[in-house]
Amino acid sequence: QVTLKESGPVLVKPTETLTLTCSVSGFSLNNDRMGVSWIRQPPGKALEWLAHIFSSDRRSYCTSLNSRLTISKDTSKSQVVLTMTNMDPVDTATYFCARIREGAESHAFDVWGRGTMVTVSS
Amino acid sequence: DFQMTQSPSSLSASVGDRVTITCRASQGFSNALAWYQQKEGKAPEVLIYATSTLQSGVPSRFSGSGSGTDFTLTITSLQPEDVATYYCQKYDDGPLTFGGGTKVEIK
């Protein structure tokens, strides 16, 4: 069974750095041509794609947040980590991770985590 | 910046109605266009990928079409369980942009 689970702080202060972890199971981050993205959703608002890491370790970032984001993976731990610097109250959102099979056999983001709510407040 | 413009932002229709949601890209791309359904308080679920391929288990009343910059999601006979917000997404290469969403309600 393929699962993804997000973890991280519930509350961060403005200007702090947020670190979120996506723990995956049921597939490999380096052998199965699988990539993982982070997506967020502020309360009552639309989905916003943030960052993606490919099986090759290539990374791609949302243009507007590029300078604040870093995505990485630890294949031995089956984890994908997102860091976001200089947090602001507008970054309050539910943060999801989701996986995608790369290439012609892709079914888009076919498995998602349940999401983790992060509030930015002093 | 690449953008996906979805319309309408919300709609209200009766059970059994045909519903159409459109997604327009700022630049043309491959057929790597997906549609997701998100119910209140839940993670999104993929309905359609590769523009028109139904994900396993998704009812056949959902269909997708389009190419280049213009894509469409159609629900042929709206059901009460289809109340949700629907998103399109380009997923072939970065940026993997989502549309702004369409909230579907029952009249």
Side-chain angles (χ1 to χ4, degrees):
Chain A
Q1 183 188 7
V2 174
T3 64
L4 295 90
K5 186 174 182 179
E6 306 89 349
S7 60
V10 174
L11 180 66
V12 298
K13 291 181 168 54
T15 76
E16 288 185 339
T17 294
L18 171 69
T19 300
L20 294 173
T21 300
C22 177
S23 300
V24 311
S25 64
F27 68 98
S28 170
L29 289 173
N30 64 347
N31 290 333
D32 291 345
R33 295 200 69 196
M34 294 293 184
V36 173
S37 268
W38 283 95
I39 299 113
R40 72 178 179 179
Q41 186 171 40
K45 295 190 177 181
L47 300 171
E48 180 182 24
W49 173 78
L50 298 176
H52 185 78
I53 189 161
F54 293 82
S55 59
S56 64
D57 210 34
R58 181 166 66 97
R59 299 104 193 268
S60 181
Y61 295 101
C62 165
T63 304
S64 62
L65 296 169
N66 185 31
S67 63
R68 298 174 53 204
L69 297 173
T70 302
I71 191 170
S72 62
K73 63 179 176 177
D74 185 332
T75 55
S76 65
K77 293 182 179 178
S78 292
Q79 292 178 338
V80 175
V81 176
L82 180 76
T83 61
M84 181 181 292
T85 60
N86 195 25
M87 292 293 284
D88 183 272
V90 300
D91 297 313
T92 294
T94 297
Y95 288 75
F96 297 98
C97 60
R99 78 128 192 212
I100 180 170
R101 183 182 299 278
E102 297 160 2
E105 299 300 314
S106 178
H107 289 204
F109 288 102
D110 61 347
V111 185
W112 292 63
R114 296 177 68 176
T116 185
M117 178 67 192
V118 178
T119 299
V120 184
S121 175
S122 54
Chain B
D1 264 7
F2 185 92
Q3 293 184 11
M4 300 287 285
T5 303
Q6 217 176 306
S7 61
S9 56
S10 66
L11 66 88
S12 181
S14 299
V15 173
D17 280 356
R18 181 184 183 92
V19 168
T20 299
I21 299 168
T22 63
C23 191
R24 173 162 288 177
S26 58
Q27 305 168 33
F29 62 98
S30 68
N31 73 335
L33 188 284
W35 291 95
Y36 300 87
Q37 177 191 67
Q38 186 181 30
K39 295 186 176 180
E40 192 68 34
K42 301 291 188 181
E45 295 183 353
V46 63
L47 296 175
I48 288 169
Y49 60 92
T51 299
S52 59
T53 303
L54 216 58
Q55 176 74 339
S56 176
V58 173
S60 60
R61 63 180 178 273
F62 291 94
S63 65
S65 64
S67 65
T69 59
D70 294 312
F71 301 87
T72 300
L73 172 70
T74 300
I75 309 173
T76 53
S77 176
L78 188 67
Q79 299 301 304
E81 60 266 32
D82 300 336
V83 168
T85 301
Y86 294 82
Y87 295 93
C88 60
Q89 186 206 20
K90 162 189 175 296
Y91 65 88
D92 56 349
D93 202 348
L96 309 182
T97 310
F98 287 93
T102 297
K103 187 173 185 178
V104 174
E105 297 175 325
I106 299 290
K107 195 181 293 183

